Amino acid sequence: MRAEPSADGPGLDPHRIAEIIVETGGGRRRGSGYRIRADTVLTAAHVVVDATGVVVRFDADREGEWSGPAAVTWADTDTDLAVLSVVPPEAAPAAVGPARFGRIPDDRHGVIDVHALGFPLWKRRSRSDRTSFRELHQADGTVAALSNLRTGTLEMTVAPAGADPDPGTSPWAGMSGAAVWAGSRIIGVVAEHHRSEGPGRLTAVRLDHALHRLGPADRAELVRLLGLPEPLPLAVPGESPGDVRVVGVPVAYGIELFKNRASERDAIARHLSDPAIRMVVITGPRGIGKSALAAKVMDLLDRGVWPGTVQGPLPSGLVNLSTRTSGISLERLYFDCARLLGPERLAELRAVWNAGGTTQERLAELLTAMGERLIVILMDNLEDLLDDDGSVADDELAVILDWLFRARSTPRLLVTSQVPVRLAPELRRFAAHVELSEGLSPAEAAALLRELDRDGSLGIADLSDGELLQAVVRVHGVPRALELLVGALADDTVLLPSLQDVLKDFTRRHDVVADLAQDRYKRLDERAHAVLGVLAALRTPVAQGALEEILAGLDAGLPTAAVLTSLVRMHLVSVDRAHRTFALHPLDAEIAYGRMPQDGPHRRQAVEREIASWYGRRARPRGTWRTLEDIEPQRRRFDHLVRSEDFDDAARVLCEISEWLVWHGSVLAAVSMHLAVEGRIRDERVRLAHAVAYGHARLSAGPMEQAAELFTEAAALAERLGDRPALQNALFGLGDTHRQLGDQRATVQPLSRAAELARELGDTEREVHALLSLSLAHSYLGDGESALTGATRLTELASADGDLLTIARAGNAHTIALLTLGRWQETADAGEETARAYRAADSQEAIAYALNAQGLALLALDDPARAASALEEARHEASLMENPRAEGVCLLNLAWAYWCDARYDQCATTADRASAALDIAGAAQAEAARALAAAARALPDGPGAAAEALSRAAAALDGNVEVVSPGWVVERARGLEGGL
């Protein structure tokens, strides 16, 4: 008996599906079963009742076929379950590992995907010698969890039988005994078909209910024979703690046809099992099988099997991402990982994202939520986000990789790319490279060609090994090229070419796959090209109704359904029956998009515009936006408008959502979208709106200097166009930018005019915001009295309308003005009150600044312990803002509080964090933070070195009222020099 496994994992293995042939005194009947162990087969009791002889057959008419006599070891007619024992012949493959069993929930509503494989009567076929046989049928369907509870059975809804050959016998006869699977676990056995329920419903034994109905002795024996766990675990993916959960669709189709790649799988398994490796990159030319290999690895992990000989811990979650379908972005990675953690964690992490913390804070929260869970993330076609030399060209990918390499454990990244990812020298030790430079071996490629012509209709299955090997060599064994060869044969139903006919005009060339694909496309008519073009442009799986609607806008007479059916039949379009969507293979999509006509109704620009219009009709109004998913139609519409080069319309869409994206945490996404239209907008009013919106995005994301340039450009344009509201917005943004850059004198003039314009326009909210920033600017200039005057005006406006946010903003201006004037106790009280006012207004706008002012006042009052507590709270609030300067300032002040409280170790580490945040913001205080950290580390052994470092810190401070006073630091330095 051969010891090799006949399948890659514990899920359904086609080599273990049993055809059961039963002899009785009255004749012969057939049934189905499943080989759960090397010597054990599970089936239905009524299949083997009154049997005088039983034979089980596996892989009928296929390589490796074997059969053998079987005996009924255990049977129970009440539950309709039976267990057969079989002695396999020496040539039979050994089944490695027992099958896994489970249950589905029966205490709540649910619809669960299931599948079963067996030999029903309606699949009976005839050979040329007039003998008949039963073909294997894969019945994919669903089970309604609460159906059939009275009888304790499963109601399995499947596609109706394709025929009814004998009215006196059910067309499903012979399917009985087939194992019913949910995910990777057997939950039941097909038992009956009730004609009255229609041709698409089967009844199956429910294992968990059957166990409860058995007596103690029978139950114990069945548990022993099947190796059942007690209690049976839930088989629904994601509900059992041991089951892998998957987010995202597989990045390749036809995993069941995957061929070997054993050495590459071993290499991937070895690298993924190594805790020191964070990223495994599979590289090779397009069509070579990178995506298929990666998808196979993910499929094995999903089924609970490590993909190679080197074993590692099974992951608790898998994420599939691809630049060609869902896209790869920081936002998608964050939420896809969050979805793995369950609805409660997802809600918590969504709140973290929407709260607007820094990217590092959000990813840190995600990492904390993951805990010790091992999560494997697949990123397919990453070359789309790389430069030609493999350098990272996408800012968000750079952030993702930085996070990945800094994480101590999970997650692990599996990447496919046509070019290796170029990493910094210090990061290369954390990455591993697996190259696919060769196609399949000749034997594997020939076997794949035969499998692609299973029914023999194309004549491939009848060719000799030599003829198949000749074709394999011509296309270098590239898997996708082999698929396209078969598709080319299936396409031509007039000339009926042979495999050699298709190949004879092709010579050895650099990009075989693209040449083959383009040759196939030459055979398609204009209607087929139109459908392929829309699918290629969509870049995501799409329902038939949506596809028909889009194409109707381009050509009302195009028979979309008929053309789509033809393309599916030709294997040019893949169908996901579970979700009822259609899509192109990424390679096919790339080629189809490149071949779209430049003129006519189906030209690329027209298609992109029509898709954009379709998304526009699905856009939700602004008042209904709650999560990032709510504006997905606008974002997709923007992408298609950019690809159609309608940059003005794209910018209009972007300006509608840009501010919302910024305030809900997707600042990098907003910046990336603005970059796509920057410099390409013709309409001046659209360019004005874009400049203002882009300026606000840069004000949050940095660099500040670019925000200032954008607001300056917008203000000049608004002046020339006479757009006073836009002018007010631009001037306010310009003044606020100068304030955050520390150039307070440049702040006063634009903010003063912004406040005047808001008052003239009757826009109280914008006047309040401008007055607040103006008051703060006076404070930073050291003019506390002018700042207090502005705060008083704010208080008057707040009293007039009673708006809670205006009250909070008035308090903020008042607090900072008092801080500037050195009225310490009043500052401490006002800071605490302002923080409460902002929380009452349900706004995080300046809580951090108010608490920071309170902490500084408490330091001045020589109360470092209370100051540290206030400043730690301020730091936490600042981390929820997309503003590294605010967090850096709070951390620097907190570090000084630790110094004053003689907590030097905490001072050093906190000052390090402050310098990192301030460096990101480009703030001058970063050098002061570094010097303070050096001073803290010099104590207690080096007071002289500490004093010198403190002097450097004081020199680097700019006297900003919201930062620790340079005089305080100088005083401490002198104390160290004097030996105090």
Side-chain angles (χ1 to χ4, degrees):
M1 184 178 293
R2 291 186 282 116
E4 299 89 47
S6 57
D8 290 308
L12 191 152
D13 177 0
H15 301 292
R16 293 163 69 172
I17 298 167
E19 183 179 13
I20 300 175
I21 305 166
V22 179
E23 295 286 346
T24 70
R28 174 183 288 186
R29 61 172 173 264
R30 276 180 169 79
S32 305
Y34 191 82
R35 188 183 180 202
I36 62 168
R37 289 179 176 167
D39 60 353
T40 306
V41 172
L42 174 65
T43 186
H46 76 266
V47 171
V48 294
V49 69
D50 299 326
T52 58
V54 179
V55 172
V56 291
R57 181 163 60 188
F58 301 85
D59 287 329
D61 295 327
R62 298 169 63 194
E63 182 179 353
E65 175 184 352
W66 67 276
S67 61
V72 180
T73 303
W74 181 96
D76 180 76
T77 55
D78 184 37
T79 59
D80 202 12
L81 290 174
V83 180
L84 311 181
S85 61
V86 60
V87 179
E90 201 59 34
V96 176
R100 298 198 300 173
F101 294 86
R103 62 183 175 86
I104 61 171
D106 59 2
D107 58 352
R108 59 187 181 275
H109 170 272
V111 178
I112 296 103
D113 290 335
V114 295
H115 49 277
L117 279 87
F119 302 87
L121 176 63
W122 69 270
K123 292 282 285 190
R124 184 171 59 189
R125 296 183 179 180
S126 298
R127 298 185 178 93
S128 58
D129 61 358
R130 297 187 178 181
T131 60
S132 62
F133 65 97
R134 300 275 186 99
E135 181 60 278
L136 182 65
H137 175 64
Q138 176 178 317
D140 292 329
T142 59
V143 163
L146 300 182
S147 289
N148 291 12
L149 285 182
R150 186 171 184 175
T151 55
T153 56
L154 297 169
E155 181 189 70
M156 186 176 174
T157 302
V158 297
D164 194 354
D166 185 354
T169 304
S170 167
W172 291 102
M175 193 74 179
S176 292
V180 179
W181 296 78
S184 61
R185 296 183 183 271
I186 297 173
I187 63 170
V189 171
V190 175
E192 297 176 280
H193 168 232
H194 299 283
R195 279 188 176 272
S196 60
E197 295 181 355
R201 278 189 172 82
L202 301 176
T203 298
V205 178
R206 192 168 186 154
L207 281 179
D208 53 335
H209 284 234
L211 285 171
H212 287 302
R213 289 162 54 188
L214 291 171
D218 281 337
R219 176 188 175 93
E221 182 65 359
L222 184 61
V223 167
R224 183 187 70 80
L225 289 170
L226 299 184
L228 297 176
E230 290 192 272
L232 287 174
L234 283 170
V236 180
E239 292 199 29
S240 173
D243 284 344
V244 174
R245 302 185 65 183
V246 183
V247 173
V249 297
V251 299
Y253 300 96
I255 297 302
E256 67 278 1
L257 297 180
F258 181 84
K259 294 298 173 190
N260 203 357
R261 299 289 195 189
S263 61
E264 290 87 355
R265 277 195 287 155
D266 275 343
I268 293 169
R270 184 172 66 253
H271 296 316
L272 285 178
S273 65
D274 185 351
I277 299 297
R278 303 299 168 79
M279 180 170 72
V280 182
V281 184
I282 305 170
T283 62
R286 67 178 180 180
I288 200 69
K290 303 182 297 297
S291 297
L293 174 58
K296 183 64 175 179
V297 169
M298 298 292 276
D299 178 62
L300 290 172
L301 292 174
D302 182 24
R303 293 195 279 141
V305 180
W306 200 252
T309 55
V310 177
Q311 297 296 301
L314 287 171
S316 63
L318 305 172
V319 175
N320 291 301
L321 298 173
S322 172
T323 60
R324 308 291 173 83
T325 54
S326 59
I328 296 175
S329 66
L330 178 64
E331 177 190 319
R332 185 166 292 279
L333 172 77
Y334 181 95
F335 283 106
D336 281 1
C337 288
R339 289 185 182 95
L340 291 172
L341 308 179
E344 292 185 5
R345 281 291 192 181
L346 173 59
E348 293 170 3
L349 290 168
R350 179 176 279 120
V352 169
W353 182 275
N354 290 339
T358 64
T359 298
Q360 290 74 17
E361 286 286 341
R362 289 177 182 147
L363 291 175
E365 288 290 339
L366 176 61
L367 200 61
T368 299
M370 288 180 181
E372 296 301 314
R373 297 179 182 88
L374 173 60
I375 292 175
V376 177
I377 302 168
L378 170 58
M379 292 186 178
D380 192 42
N381 298 119
L382 200 69
E383 67 272 6
D384 292 349
L385 304 180
L386 304 176
D387 287 323
D388 289 342
D389 64 352
S391 301
V392 176
D394 181 80
D395 290 342
E396 294 197 36
L397 177 60
V399 172
I400 292 170
L401 294 181
D402 179 75
W403 169 65
L404 176 78
F405 288 124
R406 290 180 188 274
R408 292 180 180 272
S409 55
T410 188
R412 310 277 168 81
L413 188 59
L414 180 62
V415 166
T416 72
S417 174
Q418 292 183 34
V419 294
V421 181
R422 188 173 183 179
L423 298 172
E426 65 270 22
L427 298 180
R428 291 176 185 169
R429 61 194 175 100
F430 299 117
H433 179 210
V434 176
E435 184 177 7
L436 283 185
S437 56
E438 302 291 335
L440 297 173
S441 71
E444 291 167 350
L448 177 58
L449 276 176
R450 291 192 192 278
E451 289 185 14
L452 290 170
D453 184 27
R454 283 184 183 273
D455 61 2
S457 62
L458 302 178
I460 294 176
D462 297 328
L463 295 177
S464 67
D465 289 344
E467 290 172 307
L468 291 179
L469 289 176
Q470 184 180 354
V472 167
V473 170
R474 183 68 63 88
V475 299
H476 306 281
V478 175
R480 185 59 184 152
L482 296 169
E483 294 173 2
L484 293 170
L485 270 177
V486 174
L489 286 172
D491 180 23
D492 196 332
T493 59
V494 177
L495 298 177
L496 299 177
S498 68
L499 184 62
Q500 296 306 315
D501 292 331
V502 174
L503 284 169
K504 68 181 180 181
D505 295 328
F506 290 89
T507 57
R508 189 184 180 97
R509 54 189 73 187
H510 177 68
D511 197 345
V512 174
V513 178
D515 287 335
L516 282 169
Q518 289 167 9
D519 183 69
R520 288 184 70 198
Y521 289 133
K522 292 174 185 176
R523 303 170 183 263
L524 298 175
D525 61 20
E526 184 178 342
R527 301 179 306 172
H529 279 296
V531 174
L532 289 176
V534 171
L535 284 170
L538 277 165
R539 303 188 177 199
T540 187
V542 63
Q544 181 175 330
L547 190 61
E548 289 176 333
E549 187 178 338
I550 293 168
L551 282 160
L554 297 164
D555 182 355
L558 196 151
T560 302
V563 175
L564 191 60
T565 299
S566 174
L567 291 171
V568 170
R569 188 181 303 120
M570 292 162 54
H571 304 287
L572 274 173
V573 172
S574 299
V575 58
D576 182 342
R577 298 190 183 278
H579 298 92
R580 299 185 178 182
T581 57
F582 299 85
L584 288 179
H585 184 282
L587 173 61
D588 293 338
E590 181 181 337
I591 295 168
Y593 195 76
R595 291 180 59 84
M596 291 175 73
Q598 298 300 314
D599 302 303
H602 301 295
R603 65 189 185 280
R604 185 182 306 170
Q605 189 177 50
V607 169
E608 293 286 7
R609 285 173 176 169
E610 186 61 35
I611 295 173
S613 298
W614 183 80
Y615 277 118
R617 293 192 293 274
R618 272 141 191 81
R620 300 176 60 174
R622 186 181 184 91
T624 64
W625 300 347
R626 296 293 181 271
T627 67
L628 291 164
E629 289 84 355
D630 293 337
I631 60 170
E632 187 66 18
Q634 287 92 331
R635 296 172 75 171
R636 288 191 178 272
R637 183 185 180 198
F638 170 85
D639 290 338
H640 288 286
L641 286 170
V642 168
R643 286 197 284 271
S644 71
E645 299 184 356
D646 292 333
F647 298 112
D648 284 24
D649 286 343
R652 289 186 181 96
V653 174
L654 173 57
C655 290
E656 292 175 5
I657 63 174
S658 178
E659 183 180 359
W660 199 91
L661 280 169
V662 170
W663 285 107
H664 287 78
S666 296
V667 178
L668 292 177
V671 168
S672 177
M673 294 168 78
H674 280 291
L675 285 171
V677 296
E678 174 73 352
R680 298 176 171 183
I681 303 169
R682 295 183 178 182
D683 187 291
E684 287 190 323
R685 292 192 180 277
V686 178
R687 192 161 69 246
L688 170 58
H690 161 73
V692 173
Y694 190 18
H696 283 296
R698 283 297 182 190
L699 186 58
S700 291
M704 296 289 183
E705 292 80 5
Q706 188 172 355
E709 292 172 4
L710 288 163
F711 285 129
T712 301
E713 174 193 344
L717 189 54
E719 288 268 28
R720 185 160 58 81
L721 295 175
D723 190 331
R724 286 158 57 81
L727 176 60
Q728 194 280 334
N729 196 352
L731 288 171
F732 170 76
L734 180 60
D736 208 31
T737 302
H738 284 308
R739 180 174 66 84
Q740 295 195 42
L741 280 169
D743 188 358
Q744 305 305 328
R745 297 196 182 281
T747 297
V748 173
Q749 190 275 333
L751 286 180
S752 296
R753 191 172 177 204
E756 292 171 5
L757 279 169
R759 188 179 305 115
E760 294 170 7
L761 292 167
D763 192 333
T764 303
E765 182 180 356
R766 290 187 181 275
E767 182 186 1
V768 166
H769 219 153
L771 285 171
L772 170 61
S773 294
L774 182 59
S775 175
L776 294 175
H778 284 303
S779 289
Y780 300 145
L781 286 168
D783 187 357
E785 294 298 338
S786 294
L788 205 55
T789 299
T792 301
R793 169 63 181 156
L794 276 172
T795 303
E796 293 171 357
L797 289 173
S799 300
D801 64 10
D803 180 67
L804 293 176
L805 186 56
T806 304
I807 293 170
R809 287 170 171 169
N812 184 24
H814 190 67
T815 300
I816 305 304
L818 292 171
L819 181 66
T820 304
L821 293 169
R823 291 155 61 170
W824 306 125
Q825 189 59 56
E826 291 177 80
T827 301
D829 294 341
E832 186 175 10
E833 177 61 30
T834 298
R836 280 199 297 269
Y838 270 113
R839 286 171 175 144
D842 195 24
S843 171
Q844 293 179 320
E845 182 179 85
I847 297 176
Y849 292 107
L851 293 171
N852 180 68
Q854 180 190 12
L856 287 173
L858 290 169
L859 282 171
L861 293 168
D862 199 21
D863 193 347
R866 284 183 61 204
S869 177
L871 289 166
E872 173 56 37
E873 187 180 358
R875 182 215 62 79
H876 172 72
E877 291 291 340
S879 72
L880 302 178
M881 302 165 59
E882 191 74 37
N883 189 330
R885 182 186 175 279
E887 186 171 6
V889 164
C890 292
L891 283 167
L892 176 56
N893 293 336
L894 178 59
W896 182 249
Y898 288 142
W899 176 283
C900 295
D901 208 28
R903 290 186 267 175
Y904 300 116
D905 287 343
Q906 287 177 270
C907 172
T909 57
T910 305
D912 285 339
R913 293 167 62 195
S915 66
L918 291 166
D919 275 334
I920 292 172
Q925 296 96 340
E927 185 56 42
R930 280 189 282 273
L932 178 56
R937 291 191 171 94
L939 290 179
D941 299 330
E948 191 273 333
L950 281 185
S951 297
R952 292 202 314 273
L957 293 170
D958 58 4
N960 187 312
V961 67
E962 290 185 323
V963 184
V964 61
S965 168
W968 297 350
V969 182
V970 169
E971 183 180 351
R972 293 281 180 161
R974 289 173 179 168
L976 287 171
E977 291 169 349
L980 297 179

